[in-house]
Amino acid sequence: MNQILDNQIPQLVALITREMTNRDDKKANWASFKKSYDRELCEILGVNPEWGLQAGSLIGFDIDEERKLILLNYSASAHNLLHEIEGGWSPVLRQMRGLIYAWENPGNVEGVRLVSRGFEKFFNQSEIPETGMDVLAAAAGKKLLSCTAKEDGHMIEYFMHDRKLCATTRGRLGTPSAEAALDMIARSTFMKAQIISKRFGKDLMSLVCEFVHPITRVHVDYGDAKKLFLLEAYDTSGEMVGRPVLEAISDELYEYFVLPEFREMTLTELVAEINDRDVHNREGWVAFIPDADGKDRRIKFKYIAYIGEMVKSKLSYKYLMNCIKNDRLDKMLITLPEEIRAVAYDMVSEVVEATNAGANSNLGYKTLYSLYSPNEGGVDYFRTVCRSYYKDVVAAGGNKGENLPFSLQ
């Protein structure tokens, strides 16, 4: 029995459906619900009250009253709040990544059952202390690691509910990506995958795929390709079915599913691979590396060129200036993967240098204009941001409060 999936999460579903069974209920009641049931949420989610966090702020959900489905996922702010707390990512919160349950009677744990799931939460190398390179090197040693290529689309879960094939992304039911994914396979295809799994003694519950399609483009350009990369499959107990099952499904249903590229590499070889600046238009690799208990866990490694594309899309000097001006720089930086965060701090240093140069000369905000590049968008708007930032931070009295990341010279 999986205590988390079979006991704790059904308690959460029953607690939520006690007061909310549709999206209108959620909109009206979720804010007050999180406050009223904070003690219960802390207990279910494994949140220590001494952390000073509202447990409900760490999760989100989507709910379909007609199909009686609820999707549970960690919230965007969970990264802001948990990364800096030792043990903050509790076992329950790590499971909260696209969990889908069916429920029968509102507020009643009886009849709550798991119908689909995605991966347990996993992290980039160096994103949190337990995935620091020293820790990974000690765990991996010189042995060959199982590595699968990380494709750059949208994660899709396929599952059956009320005898119908369903699909969802991990954050919301009924997204355009999920609807498009349903055009890729039929109910009969999923049932064939179930038959294949049965041969291995597995009762297939859900297939987890990376959905590559023109509407899912992130940074890697796949052209007009429409593909389903089969990443994982889970049985009705919520356990992984194993690679032999995945290989059999992709071999027999090759017109629908393809397995990502697989390699065995040492950690040293993997690090050299992702740091190869000649590799473009690829996201990276997911390596299986043992944790402290010897259990393999997924760790993400992204190519340096891909990180560059992420930086271009997520960071700009004007964005950083607005964050400094609005006293939210630290909150923004902590949400970034470690690889991008290091670049962000370098960019902040350049803003600081230009700010100080302007404050100590008659050029003022014009020194910030030198930071402009085409990645910033329109020149006029960039300069407007520069002037607004400079006026707020410098002209209004210099050290604005105690939250600035620097002191003006």
Side-chain angles (χ1 to χ4, degrees), residues 1-6 95 99 101 114-117 201-206 233-241:
M1 178 179 178
N2 187 313
Q3 181 69 15
I4 293 175
L5 296 179
D6 298 337
Q95 292 288 346
L99 291 177
Y101 282 80
L114 180 69
V115 296
S116 185
R117 63 162 301 175
K202 305 291 184 180
D203 291 322
L204 181 67
M205 176 182 67
S206 53
Y234 292 92
D235 65 20
T236 51
S237 67
E239 298 298 321
M240 293 181 289
V241 300

Side-chain angles (χ1 to χ4, degrees), residues 225-279:
K226 298 177 182 179
K227 292 184 178 181
L228 289 172
F229 289 94
L230 183 58
L231 306 180
E232 194 54 85
Y234 292 92
D235 65 20
T236 51
S237 67
E239 298 298 321
M240 293 181 289
V241 300
R243 187 167 179 84
V245 182
L246 299 181
E247 291 176 344
I249 292 173
S250 65
D251 285 345
E252 297 185 40
L253 299 174
Y254 60 88
E255 65 267 49
Y256 303 104
F257 303 107
V258 59
L259 290 179
E261 180 184 353
F262 175 84
R263 287 191 207 171
E264 289 187 325
M265 293 182 274
T266 66
L267 183 61
T268 300
E269 291 170 338
L270 177 56
V271 170
E273 172 69 21
I274 62 169
N275 285 320
D276 185 348
R277 294 182 179 275
D278 291 330
V279 178

Side-chain angles (χ1 to χ4, degrees), residues 355 359 389-401 404 406-408:
T355 303
Y389 153 81
Y390 191 88
K391 178 181 178 181
D392 196 63
V393 173
V394 180
N399 293 328
K400 175 192 169 193
L404 286 176
F406 57 89
S407 294
L408 295 169

Side-chain angles (χ1 to χ4, degrees), residues 74 76 78-80 82-85 89 94 97 121-136 150 170 297-302 310 332-342:
Y74 57 80
H79 279 269
N80 302 13
L82 296 176
H83 270 39
E84 299 303 305
I85 298 175
W89 283 99
R94 290 180 187 229
R97 191 174 186 270
K121 169 67 177 171
F122 64 108
F123 302 91
N124 291 283
Q125 57 92 5
S126 299
E127 186 175 354
I128 58 176
E130 69 186 63
T131 63
M133 286 304 298
D134 290 345
V135 176
L136 298 181
K150 191 171 189 316
R170 70 176 176 85
R297 45 34 191 301
R298 289 177 168 86
I299 308 293
K300 289 180 280 189
F301 292 79
K302 292 187 173 71
M310 292 176 69
M332 183 281 295
L333 291 176
I334 202 61
T335 67
L336 299 174
E338 183 65 28
E339 314 98 310
I340 299 180
R341 199 181 307 162

Side-chain angles (χ1 to χ4, degrees), residues 159-370:
F159 63 99
M160 295 288 287
H161 179 62
D162 288 344
R163 302 178 60 84
K164 295 180 181 179
L165 179 65
C166 304
T168 185
T169 54
R170 70 176 176 85
R172 187 174 171 84
L173 299 165
T175 63
S177 293
E179 296 298 324
L182 284 173
D183 291 333
M184 299 288 287
I185 68 170
R187 177 176 179 269
S188 59
T189 308
F190 188 90
M191 293 177 68
K192 289 177 184 177
Q194 288 180 314
I195 293 170
I196 294 168
S197 302
K198 275 284 190 182
R199 297 206 302 260
F200 293 82
K202 305 291 184 180
D203 291 322
L204 181 67
M205 176 182 67
S206 53
L207 297 172
V208 180
C209 301
E210 192 77 4
F211 178 42
V212 168
H213 187 282
I215 68 170
T216 69
R217 178 172 175 176
V218 185
H219 299 301
V220 175
D221 185 2
Y222 293 94
D224 294 327
K226 298 177 182 179
K227 292 184 178 181
L228 289 172
F229 289 94
L230 183 58
L231 306 180
E232 194 54 85
Y234 292 92
D235 65 20
T236 51
S237 67
E239 298 298 321
M240 293 181 289
V241 300
R243 187 167 179 84
V245 182
L246 299 181
E247 291 176 344
I249 292 173
S250 65
D251 285 345
E252 297 185 40
L253 299 174
Y254 60 88
E255 65 267 49
Y256 303 104
F257 303 107
V258 59
L259 290 179
E261 180 184 353
F262 175 84
R263 287 191 207 171
E264 289 187 325
M265 293 182 274
T266 66
L267 183 61
T268 300
E269 291 170 338
L270 177 56
V271 170
E273 172 69 21
I274 62 169
N275 285 320
D276 185 348
R277 294 182 179 275
D278 291 330
V279 178
H280 296 276
N281 207 41
R282 295 193 64 180
E283 181 174 353
W285 294 86
V286 175
F288 290 82
I289 301 178
D291 61 15
D293 297 323
K295 179 183 176 183
D296 275 350
R297 45 34 191 301
R298 289 177 168 86
I299 308 293
K300 289 180 280 189
F301 292 79
K302 292 187 173 71
Y303 279 107
I304 192 166
Y306 185 87
I307 294 171
E309 293 300 316
M310 292 176 69
V311 170
K312 288 179 185 178
S313 68
K314 291 180 178 290
L315 290 178
S316 66
Y317 290 108
K318 66 176 184 286
Y319 178 59
L320 291 172
M321 282 188 278
N322 278 327
C323 286
I324 294 171
K325 181 179 119 175
N326 295 316
D327 290 338
R328 57 185 177 88
L329 183 67
D330 288 339
K331 289 183 179 179
M332 183 281 295
L333 291 176
I334 202 61
T335 67
L336 299 174
E338 183 65 28
E339 314 98 310
I340 299 180
R341 199 181 307 162
V343 177
Y345 277 116
D346 289 340
M347 293 172 69
V348 170
S349 295
E350 293 180 69
V351 172
V352 171
E353 184 178 348
T355 303
N356 284 324
N360 293 313
S361 71
N362 60 0
L363 294 176
Y365 57 77
K366 292 182 180 178
T367 56
L368 296 164
Y369 291 175
S370 64

